[in-house]
Amino acid sequence: MAVYTDIRDDQLRDYLQLYDLGGLHSLKGIAEGVENSNFMLATDAGQFILTLYEKRVNPADLPFFLGLMDYLAARGINCPRPVAMRSGEMLGTLAHKPAAIVTWLDGVSVRRPTAGHCRQVGEVLAKMHLAAADFPVHRTNALTLENWRPLAMRSAERAHEVEPGLAQLIATELDFLEANWPATLPRGVIHADLFRDNVFFLKDKLSGVIDFYFACNDIIAYDLSICLNAWCFEHNWEFNVTKARALLQGYSAIRPLGAAEYAALPVLARGSAMRFLLTRLYDWLNVPPGALVVPHDPREYLAKLRFHQGIREASAYGLDYHPPEAA
């Protein structure tokens, strides 16, 4: 989340006339994140999140994102639910940008998650995968294997500003990933961005999941590898096997991994580390002027990539494989 676009008072008041939310109380920008302009909105009807979708988001994808949140919320996943206008539409236009209002979730994100937090993240990720199994809309992942090399080329000339030789390291790793990426694993709807700031807790109990604006159809276990990278490394970028074991146990208790999914975890983790290294590298080198956003350090995901390059067996993540019991 971030703030790239300012909203005038008259624009906001006119926009709210499209909803049955009563009068405006307040609007406050949210500075975290890197993708859209987000605001805490308070009206007579309560608290909400107002989002303006910025240029990286394809407007054609917004019905998928909003529809998925509505679909998951109806199936017991505690996530923001889009608020419909009087017309029934969930998507509007504000300050010349596509815009939506979604329900507020109570809770806070955790900066230093415990193994208990990680287990709950694994559980909710598996529940989302199962709940979304019949979601009828499809969205291709715009940041998957085939997109990584073109993205790397956009930063290649300046990658040395982050670390000498980084462009060559990325090119070599992409050669490996393109040669070894699994092609036959189960696929479905994935969140694709389940980072710490996208999961809320109340008194150490998971209370909700937010930010579905990277959700797409892809390898299901790839989503789990994203969480390994996001939740199971410490602030010094060192891997915590206890947290990884808890995350994988939580996930497997709800949706047991197949043997091929389990075996592919090391290469999937390398791929998810590469994906976030590349986007963070680009954002680090291309912060929009005047944006109220602090870009993430790409060296974090470079360190994670190097860790996974040394992993040969999925058991190194702390969980021995046990085949699912026959139904």
Side-chain angles (χ1 to χ4, degrees), residues 190-204:
I190 67 172
H191 184 282
D193 195 40
L194 201 61
F195 277 66
R196 298 175 189 181
D197 56 351
N198 290 335
V199 182
F200 289 168
F201 292 86
L202 281 173
K203 296 182 179 180
D204 289 328

Side-chain angles (χ1 to χ4, degrees), residues 12-13 16 20-30 38-51 101-104:
L12 179 58
R13 293 183 188 280
L16 289 179
D20 286 317
L21 296 177
L24 173 66
H25 291 193
S26 64
L27 186 74
K28 181 180 180 181
I30 301 172
N38 288 269
F39 304 84
M40 291 185 289
L41 170 69
T43 75
D44 290 340
Q47 286 186 299
F48 304 89
I49 295 292
L50 167 64
T51 298
I101 296 174
V102 300
T103 55
W104 176 270

Side-chain angles (χ1 to χ4, degrees), residues 7 26-27 32 36 40 101 106 136 143 158 169 174 192 198 200 202-203 219 224 271 293 314 319 323:
I7 303 173
S26 64
L27 186 74
E32 293 85 358
N36 303 310
M40 291 185 289
I101 296 174
D106 287 326
L143 287 169
R158 296 180 58 198
L169 182 152
L174 287 172
N198 290 335
F200 289 168
L202 281 173
K203 296 182 179 180
I219 296 171
L224 184 57
V293 59
L319 183 70

Side-chain angles (χ1 to χ4, degrees), residues 29-108:
I30 301 172
E32 293 85 358
V34 295
E35 290 302 320
N36 303 310
S37 293
N38 288 269
F39 304 84
M40 291 185 289
L41 170 69
T43 75
D44 290 340
Q47 286 186 299
F48 304 89
I49 295 292
L50 167 64
T51 298
L52 303 187
Y53 299 99
E54 301 292 348
K55 61 182 180 180
R56 182 179 281 180
V57 176
N58 183 349
D61 290 331
L62 292 173
F64 175 92
F65 300 141
L66 297 174
L68 177 61
M69 286 188 280
D70 194 53
Y71 191 87
L72 291 175
R75 284 154 181 80
I77 302 298
N78 198 16
C79 65
R81 196 161 196 173
V83 178
M85 303 177 190
R86 293 192 181 100
S87 66
E89 296 293 323
M90 295 187 291
L91 183 65
T93 302
L94 175 58
H96 309 292
K97 300 286 178 68
I101 296 174
V102 300
T103 55
W104 176 270
L105 291 184
D106 287 326
V108 295

Side-chain angles (χ1 to χ4, degrees), residues 220-289:
I220 295 173
Y222 174 65
D223 217 11
L224 184 57
S225 78
I226 291 173
C227 289
L228 276 173
N229 279 318
W231 289 84
C232 302
F233 286 80
E234 300 301 326
H235 283 255
N236 60 2
W237 305 340
E238 289 187 1
F239 184 68
N240 186 315
V241 70
T242 302
K243 293 180 180 180
R245 182 184 300 111
L247 177 78
L248 294 171
Q249 286 176 337
Y251 186 90
S252 299
I254 305 298
R255 179 187 175 271
L257 291 171
E261 291 178 301
Y262 176 80
L265 281 177
V267 69
L268 293 173
R270 286 172 73 161
S272 60
M274 173 59 73
R275 174 261 186 266
F276 288 99
L277 167 60
L278 291 175
T279 51
R280 289 186 176 198
L281 176 62
Y282 181 83
D283 290 340
W284 186 266
L285 298 173
N286 298 278
V287 179

